[in-house]
Coordinates of all heavy atoms in Angstrom, one line a residue:
M6 N 88.5 93.6 164.6 CA 87.3 93.0 165.1 C 86.2 93.3 164.1 O 86.0 94.4 163.7 CB 87.0 93.6 166.5 CG 85.7 93.0 167.1 SD 85.8 93.6 168.8 CE 84.2 93.2 169.3
S7 N 85.5 92.3 163.6 CA 84.5 92.5 162.7 C 83.2 92.0 163.2 O 83.0 91.0 163.8 CB 84.8 91.7 161.3 OG 84.6 90.4 161.5
A8 N 82.2 92.9 163.1 CA 80.9 92.6 163.5 C 80.1 91.9 162.5 O 80.5 91.8 161.3 CB 80.2 94.0 163.8
D9 N 79.1 91.1 162.9 CA 78.3 90.3 162.0 C 76.9 90.7 162.1 O 76.0 90.0 162.6 CB 78.5 88.8 162.3 CG 77.8 87.9 161.4 OD1 77.5 88.5 160.2 OD2 77.4 86.6 161.6
N10 N 76.7 91.9 161.6 CA 75.4 92.6 161.6 C 74.8 92.7 160.2 O 74.5 93.6 159.7 CB 75.4 93.8 162.2 CG 75.7 93.8 163.7 OD1 75.3 92.9 164.4 ND2 76.5 94.8 164.3
T11 N 74.7 91.5 159.5 CA 74.4 91.5 158.0 C 73.1 92.1 157.8 O 72.9 92.7 156.7 CB 74.4 90.0 157.6 OG1 73.5 89.2 158.4 CG2 75.9 89.4 157.6
S12 N 72.2 92.0 158.6 CA 70.8 92.6 158.3 C 70.9 94.2 158.4 O 70.1 94.8 157.8 CB 69.8 92.3 159.4 OG 70.1 92.8 160.7
Q13 N 72.0 94.8 158.9 CA 72.2 96.2 158.9 C 73.1 96.7 157.8 O 73.3 97.8 157.6 CB 72.8 96.7 160.2 CG 71.8 96.4 161.4 CD 72.4 96.9 162.7 OE1 73.5 97.4 162.8 NE2 71.6 96.8 163.7
Q14 N 73.6 95.7 157.0 CA 74.5 96.1 155.9 C 73.8 96.7 154.7 O 72.8 96.2 154.3 CB 75.4 94.9 155.5 CG 76.3 94.3 156.5 CD 77.0 93.1 156.1 OE1 76.7 92.5 155.1 NE2 77.9 92.6 156.9
I15 N 74.4 97.8 154.2 CA 73.9 98.4 153.0 C 74.0 97.5 151.7 O 73.2 97.3 151.0 CB 74.5 99.8 152.8 CG1 74.0 100.8 154.0 CG2 74.1 100.4 151.4 CD1 74.8 102.0 154.0
N16 N 75.4 97.1 151.7 CA 75.7 96.3 150.5 C 75.4 94.7 150.9 O 76.0 94.1 151.6 CB 77.2 96.4 150.3 CG 77.7 95.4 149.1 OD1 76.9 95.0 148.4 ND2 78.9 95.2 149.0
K17 N 74.4 94.2 150.1 CA 73.9 92.8 150.3 C 74.5 91.9 149.4 O 74.7 90.7 149.7 CB 72.4 92.7 150.1 CG 71.6 93.7 151.0 CD 71.5 93.3 152.4 CE 70.5 94.1 153.2 NZ 70.7 94.1 154.6
T18 N 75.1 92.3 148.2 CA 75.6 91.3 147.2 C 76.8 91.7 146.5 O 77.5 90.8 145.8 CB 74.4 91.2 146.0 OG1 74.1 92.5 145.5 CG2 73.2 90.7 146.7
I19 N 77.2 92.9 146.4 CA 78.3 93.3 145.6 C 79.7 93.1 146.2 O 80.0 93.5 147.2 CB 78.2 94.8 145.2 CG1 76.9 95.2 144.5 CG2 79.4 95.3 144.4 CD1 76.6 96.6 144.4
R20 N 80.5 92.3 145.5 CA 81.9 92.0 145.8 C 82.1 91.7 147.3 O 82.8 92.2 148.0 CB 82.8 93.1 145.4 CG 83.0 93.1 143.9 CD 84.0 94.1 143.5 NE 83.3 95.3 142.8 CZ 83.8 96.5 142.7 NH1 84.9 96.8 143.1 NH2 83.0 97.4 142.0
K21 N 81.3 90.7 147.8 CA 81.2 90.4 149.3 C 82.6 89.7 149.8 O 82.8 89.5 150.9 CB 80.0 89.7 149.7 CG 78.7 90.5 149.4 CD 78.7 91.7 150.3 CE 78.4 91.5 151.7 NZ 78.2 92.8 152.5
D22 N 83.4 89.4 148.8 CA 84.6 88.7 149.0 C 85.7 89.5 149.4 O 86.8 89.1 149.7 CB 85.0 87.8 147.8 CG 85.1 88.5 146.6 OD1 84.4 89.5 146.4 OD2 86.0 88.2 145.8
V23 N 85.6 90.9 149.3 CA 86.7 91.7 149.7 C 86.3 92.5 151.0 O 85.1 92.8 151.2 CB 86.9 92.8 148.5 CG1 87.5 92.1 147.4 CG2 85.8 93.5 148.2
E24 N 87.2 92.9 151.7 CA 87.1 93.6 152.9 C 86.4 95.0 152.8 O 85.6 95.4 153.6 CB 88.4 93.8 153.7 CG 88.2 94.4 155.0 CD 89.5 94.5 155.9 OE1 90.4 93.6 155.6 OE2 89.7 95.3 156.7
K25 N 86.8 95.8 151.7 CA 86.4 97.0 151.4 C 86.3 97.3 150.0 O 87.4 97.2 149.3 CB 87.2 98.1 152.3 CG 86.7 99.6 152.0 CD 87.4 100.6 152.9 CE 88.8 100.4 153.0 NZ 89.4 101.6 153.9
I26 N 85.2 97.8 149.5 CA 85.0 98.0 148.1 C 85.6 99.5 147.8 O 85.0 100.4 148.4 CB 83.6 97.9 147.5 CG1 83.2 96.4 147.6 CG2 83.7 98.3 146.1 CD1 81.8 96.2 147.3
V27 N 86.6 99.6 147.0 CA 87.1 101.0 146.6 C 87.2 101.0 145.1 O 87.9 100.1 144.6 CB 88.4 101.3 147.2 CG1 89.0 102.6 146.7 CG2 88.3 101.3 148.8
D28 N 86.6 102.0 144.5 CA 86.8 102.1 143.0 C 87.5 103.3 142.7 O 87.2 104.5 143.3 CB 85.4 102.1 142.3 CG 84.6 100.7 142.5 OD1 85.2 99.7 142.1 OD2 83.6 100.7 143.1
K29 N 88.4 103.2 141.8 CA 89.2 104.5 141.4 C 88.8 104.8 140.0 O 88.8 103.9 139.2 CB 90.6 104.3 141.6 CG 91.2 104.0 143.0 CD 92.6 103.8 143.0 CE 93.0 103.7 144.6 NZ 94.5 103.4 144.7
C30 N 88.5 106.0 139.8 CA 88.2 106.5 138.4 C 89.1 107.5 137.9 O 89.3 108.5 138.6 CB 86.7 107.0 138.4 SG 85.5 105.7 138.9
D31 N 89.6 107.4 136.8 CA 90.5 108.3 136.2 C 89.6 109.5 135.6 O 88.7 109.1 134.8 CB 91.3 107.6 135.1 CG 92.4 108.7 134.5 OD1 91.9 109.4 133.6 OD2 93.5 108.6 134.8
I32 N 90.0 110.7 135.8 CA 89.0 111.8 135.4 C 89.0 111.8 133.9 O 87.9 112.1 133.2 CB 89.4 113.0 135.9 CG1 88.4 114.2 135.7 CG2 90.9 113.6 135.3 CD1 87.1 114.0 136.5
E33 N 90.1 111.4 133.1 CA 90.1 111.5 131.7 C 89.1 110.4 131.2 O 88.4 110.5 130.2 CB 91.4 111.3 131.1 CG 92.3 112.6 131.2 CD 92.8 112.9 132.6 OE1 92.9 112.0 133.4 OE2 93.2 114.0 132.8
D34 N 89.1 109.2 131.8 CA 88.2 108.1 131.5 C 86.8 108.6 131.7 O 86.0 108.2 130.8 CB 88.6 106.9 132.3 CG 89.9 106.2 131.9 OD1 90.3 106.6 130.9 OD2 90.3 105.4 132.6
I35 N 86.5 109.3 132.8 CA 85.1 109.7 133.0 C 84.6 110.7 131.9 O 83.5 110.6 131.4 CB 84.9 110.3 134.4 CG1 85.1 109.3 135.5 CG2 83.6 110.9 134.6 CD1 85.3 109.8 136.9
C36 N 85.5 111.6 131.6 CA 85.3 112.6 130.5 C 84.9 111.8 129.2 O 84.0 112.1 128.5 CB 86.4 113.5 130.3 SG 86.6 114.7 131.7
A37 N 85.8 110.7 128.9 CA 85.6 110.0 127.6 C 84.3 109.3 127.7 O 83.6 109.2 126.7 CB 86.8 109.0 127.5
Q38 N 83.9 108.7 128.8 CA 82.6 108.0 129.0 C 81.4 109.1 128.8 O 80.4 108.7 128.2 CB 82.5 107.3 130.3 CG 83.5 106.2 130.5 CD 83.5 105.8 132.0 OE1 83.1 106.4 132.9 NE2 84.2 104.6 132.2
C39 N 81.6 110.2 129.3 CA 80.6 111.3 129.1 C 80.4 111.7 127.7 O 79.4 111.7 127.1 CB 80.9 112.6 129.9 SG 80.8 112.5 131.7
D40 N 81.6 111.7 127.0 CA 81.6 112.1 125.5 C 80.9 111.0 124.8 O 80.2 111.2 123.8 CB 83.0 112.2 125.0 CG 83.6 113.6 125.4 OD1 82.9 114.5 125.8 OD2 84.9 113.7 125.5
A41 N 81.1 109.7 125.2 CA 80.5 108.5 124.4 C 79.1 108.3 124.7 O 78.4 107.8 123.9 CB 81.4 107.3 124.7
A42 N 78.6 108.8 125.8 CA 77.2 108.6 126.2 C 76.4 109.5 125.4 O 76.6 110.7 125.2 CB 77.0 108.8 127.7
S43 N 75.1 109.0 125.0 CA 74.2 109.8 124.3 C 73.6 111.0 125.1 O 73.5 112.1 124.5 CB 73.1 108.9 123.8 OG 72.4 108.3 124.9
N44 N 73.6 110.9 126.3 CA 73.1 112.0 127.2 C 74.3 112.8 127.8 O 74.1 113.6 128.7 CB 72.1 111.5 128.3 CG 72.8 110.6 129.2 OD1 73.9 110.2 129.0 ND2 72.1 110.1 130.2
K45 N 75.5 112.4 127.5 CA 76.7 113.1 127.8 C 77.0 113.2 129.4 O 77.5 114.0 129.9 CB 76.8 114.5 127.3 CG 76.7 114.7 125.8 CD 77.8 113.9 125.1 CE 77.7 114.0 123.6 NZ 78.5 113.1 122.9
T46 N 76.4 112.0 130.0 CA 76.6 111.9 131.4 C 77.0 110.6 131.8 O 76.8 109.6 131.1 CB 75.2 112.2 132.3 OG1 74.3 111.2 131.9 CG2 74.7 113.6 131.9
V47 N 77.6 110.4 133.0 CA 77.9 109.1 133.6 C 77.4 109.1 135.0 O 77.5 110.1 135.7 CB 79.5 108.8 133.7 CG1 79.8 107.7 134.5 CG2 80.1 108.8 132.4
S48 N 76.6 108.0 135.3 CA 75.9 108.0 136.7 C 76.5 106.9 137.5 O 76.6 105.7 137.0 CB 74.4 107.7 136.4 OG 73.8 108.8 135.7
Y49 N 76.9 107.2 138.7 CA 77.5 106.2 139.6 C 76.5 105.9 140.8 O 75.7 106.8 141.2 CB 78.8 106.8 140.3 CG 79.9 106.9 139.4 CD1 80.1 107.9 138.5 CD2 80.8 105.7 139.3 CE1 81.1 107.9 137.6 CE2 81.9 105.8 138.4 CZ 82.1 106.8 137.6 OH 83.2 106.9 136.7
C50 N 76.4 104.5 141.0 CA 75.4 104.1 141.9 C 75.7 104.4 143.4 O 76.9 104.4 143.7 CB 75.4 102.5 141.8 SG 74.3 101.8 143.0
R51 N 74.6 104.8 144.1 CA 74.9 105.1 145.5 C 73.9 104.3 146.3 O 73.8 104.4 147.6 CB 74.7 106.6 145.8 CG 75.7 107.5 145.2 CD 75.7 108.9 145.6 NE 74.4 109.5 145.3 CZ 74.0 110.7 145.6 NH1 74.9 111.5 146.3 NH2 72.9 111.2 145.4
C52 N 73.2 103.4 145.7 CA 72.2 102.6 146.4 C 72.6 101.1 146.7 O 72.0 100.5 147.5 CB 70.9 102.6 145.7 SG 70.9 101.5 144.2
W53 N 73.8 100.8 146.0 CA 74.3 99.4 146.2 C 73.4 98.3 145.6 O 73.6 97.1 146.0 CB 74.7 99.1 147.7 CG 75.8 99.9 148.2 CD1 75.7 101.3 148.7 CD2 77.2 99.6 148.0 NE1 76.9 101.7 148.9 CE2 77.8 100.8 148.7 CE3 77.9 98.6 147.6 CZ2 79.3 100.9 148.7 CZ3 79.2 98.7 147.7 CH2 80.0 99.8 148.2
K54 N 72.6 98.7 144.7 CA 71.5 97.6 144.1 C 72.0 97.4 142.7 O 71.4 96.5 142.1 CB 70.2 98.2 144.2 CG 69.7 98.5 145.7 CD 69.7 97.4 146.5 CE 69.5 97.7 147.9 NZ 69.9 96.7 148.9
S55 N 72.8 98.2 142.0 CA 73.1 98.1 140.7 C 73.7 96.8 140.2 O 74.7 96.3 140.9 CB 74.0 99.3 140.2 OG 74.3 99.2 138.8
K56 N 73.4 96.3 139.1 CA 74.0 95.0 138.7 C 75.2 95.4 137.8 O 76.1 94.7 137.3 CB 73.1 94.2 137.8 CG 72.1 93.5 138.8 CD 71.0 92.8 138.1 CE 70.0 92.2 139.1 NZ 69.5 93.2 140.1
K57 N 75.4 96.7 137.6 CA 76.5 97.2 136.8 C 77.5 98.1 137.8 O 78.2 98.9 137.2 CB 76.1 98.2 135.7 CG 75.4 97.4 134.6 CD 74.7 98.3 133.6 CE 75.3 99.6 133.3 NZ 74.6 100.5 132.3
F58 N 77.4 97.9 139.0 CA 78.2 98.6 140.1 C 79.7 98.8 139.6 O 80.1 97.8 139.2 CB 78.0 98.0 141.4 CG 78.5 98.9 142.5 CD1 77.6 99.7 143.1 CD2 79.8 98.9 143.0 CE1 77.9 100.6 144.2 CE2 80.2 99.7 144.0 CZ 79.2 100.5 144.5
P59 N 80.3 99.9 139.6 CA 79.8 101.1 140.4 C 78.9 102.1 139.6 O 78.6 103.1 140.0 CB 81.2 101.8 140.6 CG 82.0 101.5 139.4 CD 81.6 100.1 139.1
F60 N 78.5 101.6 138.3 CA 77.6 102.4 137.6 C 76.1 102.2 138.0 O 75.7 101.0 138.3 CB 77.8 102.2 136.1 CG 79.2 102.6 135.7 CD1 80.2 101.5 135.4 CD2 79.6 103.9 135.5 CE1 81.5 101.7 135.1 CE2 81.0 104.1 135.1 CZ 81.9 103.1 134.9
C61 N 75.3 103.2 137.9 CA 73.9 103.1 138.0 C 73.3 102.4 136.9 O 73.5 102.7 135.7 CB 73.3 104.4 138.2 SG 71.5 104.5 138.3
D62 N 72.3 101.4 137.2 CA 71.6 100.8 136.1 C 70.2 101.0 136.3 O 69.3 100.4 135.7 CB 71.9 99.2 136.1 CG 71.3 98.5 137.3 OD1 70.8 99.1 138.2 OD2 71.4 97.3 137.2
G63 N 69.8 101.9 137.2 CA 68.3 102.3 137.4 C 67.7 101.5 138.5 O 66.5 101.6 138.8
S64 N 68.4 100.5 139.1 CA 67.9 99.6 140.2 C 67.4 100.3 141.3 O 66.5 99.9 142.1 CB 68.9 98.6 140.6 OG 69.2 97.7 139.6
H65 N 67.9 101.6 141.5 CA 67.4 102.4 142.6 C 65.9 102.7 142.6 O 65.2 102.9 143.6 CB 68.2 103.7 142.7 CG 68.1 104.6 141.6 ND1 68.9 104.5 140.5 CD2 67.1 105.6 141.3 CE1 68.6 105.3 139.7 NE2 67.5 106.0 140.1
N66 N 65.4 102.7 141.4 CA 63.9 103.0 141.1 C 63.1 102.0 141.8 O 62.0 102.3 142.5 CB 63.6 103.2 139.7 CG 64.2 104.5 139.1 OD1 64.1 105.5 139.6 ND2 65.0 104.3 138.0
A67 N 63.4 100.7 141.6 CA 62.5 99.6 142.2 C 62.7 99.7 143.6 O 61.9 99.3 144.5 CB 63.0 98.2 141.6
W68 N 64.0 99.8 144.2 CA 64.3 99.9 145.6 C 63.4 101.0 146.3 O 62.8 100.8 147.3 CB 65.8 100.2 145.8 CG 66.2 100.4 147.3 CD1 66.4 101.5 147.9 CD2 66.2 99.3 148.3 NE1 66.6 101.4 149.2 CE2 66.5 100.1 149.4 CE3 66.0 98.1 148.3 CZ2 66.7 99.4 150.7 CZ3 66.2 97.3 149.5 CH2 66.5 98.0 150.7
N69 N 63.5 102.2 145.7 CA 62.7 103.3 146.3 C 61.2 103.0 146.3 O 60.5 103.3 147.3 CB 62.9 104.6 145.5 CG 64.3 105.0 145.7 OD1 65.1 104.8 146.6 ND2 64.8 106.0 144.8
K70 N 60.7 102.3 145.2 CA 59.3 102.0 145.2 C 58.9 101.0 146.2 O 57.9 101.1 146.9 CB 58.9 101.5 143.8 CG 57.5 101.4 143.5 CD 57.2 101.0 142.1 CE 55.7 100.8 141.8 NZ 55.4 100.5 140.5
E71 N 59.8 100.0 146.4 CA 59.6 98.9 147.3 C 59.7 99.4 148.7 O 58.9 98.9 149.6 CB 60.6 97.7 147.1 CG 60.6 96.6 148.0 CD 61.7 95.6 147.7 OE1 62.2 95.5 146.5 OE2 62.2 95.0 148.7
T72 N 60.6 100.3 149.1 CA 60.9 100.6 150.5 C 60.5 102.0 150.9 O 60.5 102.3 152.0 CB 62.5 100.4 150.7 OG1 63.1 101.5 149.9 CG2 63.0 99.1 150.4
G73 N 60.1 102.9 149.9 CA 59.9 104.2 150.3 C 61.2 105.0 150.5 O 61.0 106.2 151.0
D74 N 62.3 104.4 150.1 CA 63.5 105.2 150.2 C 63.6 106.3 149.1 O 62.6 106.3 148.3 CB 64.7 104.2 150.1 CG 65.9 104.6 150.9 OD1 66.1 105.8 151.2 OD2 66.8 103.8 151.1
N75 N 64.7 107.1 149.2 CA 64.8 108.2 148.2 C 66.2 108.3 147.6 O 66.6 109.4 147.3 CB 64.4 109.5 148.8 CG 65.4 109.9 149.9 OD1 66.1 109.1 150.3 ND2 65.2 111.2 150.3
V76 N 66.8 107.1 147.5 CA 68.3 107.2 147.0 C 68.3 107.3 145.4 O 67.4 106.9 144.7 CB 69.0 105.9 147.4 CG1 69.2 106.0 149.0 CG2 68.3 104.6 146.9
G77 N 69.5 107.8 145.0 CA 69.7 107.9 143.6 C 71.1 108.1 143.3 O 72.0 108.1 144.2
P78 N 71.5 108.2 142.1 CA 73.0 108.1 141.6 C 73.6 109.5 141.8 O 73.0 110.6 141.8 CB 72.8 107.8 140.1 CG 71.6 108.3 139.7 CD 70.6 108.2 140.8
L79 N 75.0 109.4 141.7 CA 75.8 110.5 141.5 C 75.9 110.7 139.9 O 76.4 109.8 139.3 CB 77.2 110.5 142.1 CG 78.2 111.4 141.7 CD1 77.8 112.8 142.1 CD2 79.6 111.0 142.2
V80 N 75.4 111.8 139.4 CA 75.4 112.0 138.0 C 76.5 113.1 137.6 O 76.5 114.2 138.1 CB 74.0 112.6 137.4 CG1 74.0 112.7 136.0 CG2 72.9 111.5 137.8
I81 N 77.4 112.6 136.8 CA 78.5 113.5 136.4 C 78.3 113.9 134.9 O 78.0 113.1 134.0 CB 79.9 112.7 136.5 CG1 80.0 112.5 138.0 CG2 81.0 113.6 135.9 CD1 81.3 111.6 138.2
T82 N 78.3 115.2 134.6 CA 78.2 115.7 133.3 C 79.5 116.5 132.9 O 79.9 117.4 133.8 CB 77.0 116.6 133.2 OG1 75.9 115.8 133.6 CG2 76.8 117.1 131.8
K83 N 80.0 116.4 131.8 CA 81.2 117.1 131.3 C 80.6 118.4 130.7 O 79.9 118.4 129.8 CB 82.0 116.2 130.4 CG 83.2 116.9 129.9 CD 84.0 116.1 128.8 CE 85.0 116.8 128.1 NZ 85.6 116.1 127.0
K84 N 81.3 119.5 131.2 CA 81.0 120.8 130.5 C 81.4 120.8 129.1 O 82.4 120.3 128.8 CB 81.5 122.0 131.3 CG 80.9 122.3 132.6 CD 81.6 123.5 133.1 CE 80.9 123.9 134.4 NZ 81.6 125.1 135.1
Q85 N 80.5 121.2 128.2 CA 80.9 121.2 126.8 C 81.7 122.5 126.6 O 81.2 123.5 127.0 CB 79.6 121.0 125.9 CG 78.9 119.9 126.2 CD 79.7 118.6 125.9 OE1 80.4 118.4 124.9 NE2 79.7 117.6 126.8
A86 N 82.7 122.5 125.9 CA 83.6 123.7 125.5 C 82.8 124.6 124.6 O 81.9 124.2 123.8 CB 85.0 123.2 125.0
Ligands
LIG106 S1 71.2 101.7 140.7 FE1 72.1 102.5 142.4 S2 71.8 104.6 142.3 FE2 71.0 103.8 140.5

C-alpha cells in the first residue's frame, strides 16, 4: 500500500521513477575520490536537494537559508598514512 502524501516527502525531485533510492559505494572508490579531491574529502548529500546526488553540491546552504533548517552533508575524509 503506498500513501500519496507528496507534500510530506523529503525527496521532491531525485529519481522519482524508482520505488526506493539506494546507492552503494565501494570503500576503495571513496578512498580514491578522497585522494583525488583537493581537500581530500568526499561529501554525501543528506538534504535531497543536490543536483549531483548522492554527492553534496552545496544546495543545502540555500535550503537552510530559505527554510531555517540546519541540514548538511556527510563528509568523509581519508586518514593520511
Ligand atoms: S546538497 Fe544536500 S547536503 Fe549538501
Side-chain angles (χ1 to χ4, degrees):
M6 180 170 168
S7 74
D9 187 20
N10 294 323
T11 54
S12 66
Q13 296 180 358
Q14 293 178 354
I15 294 169
N16 177 17
K17 304 286 188 201
T18 60
I19 299 169
R20 290 184 246 159
K21 297 302 283 185
D22 58 325
V23 298
E24 184 175 330
K25 177 170 41 177
I26 296 173
V27 176
D28 293 304
K29 295 181 179 179
C30 300
D31 182 280
I32 192 69
E33 283 78 17
D34 289 346
I35 294 172
C36 288
Q38 290 168 346
C39 287
D40 286 339
S43 59
N44 60 0
K45 304 299 180 196
T46 65
V47 175
S48 298
Y49 286 87
C50 178
R51 296 190 300 178
C52 75
W53 294 88
K54 305 299 176 200
S55 176
K56 291 174 180 53
K57 294 174 23 183
F58 196 87
F60 300 102
C61 171
D62 70 352
S64 295
H65 60 269
N66 292 310
W68 173 257
N69 287 345
K70 188 173 183 179
E71 177 185 326
T72 66
D74 210 342
N75 65 347
V76 294
L79 167 65
V80 179
I81 298 175
T82 304
K83 180 181 171 187
K84 285 185 179 176
Q85 301 301 311

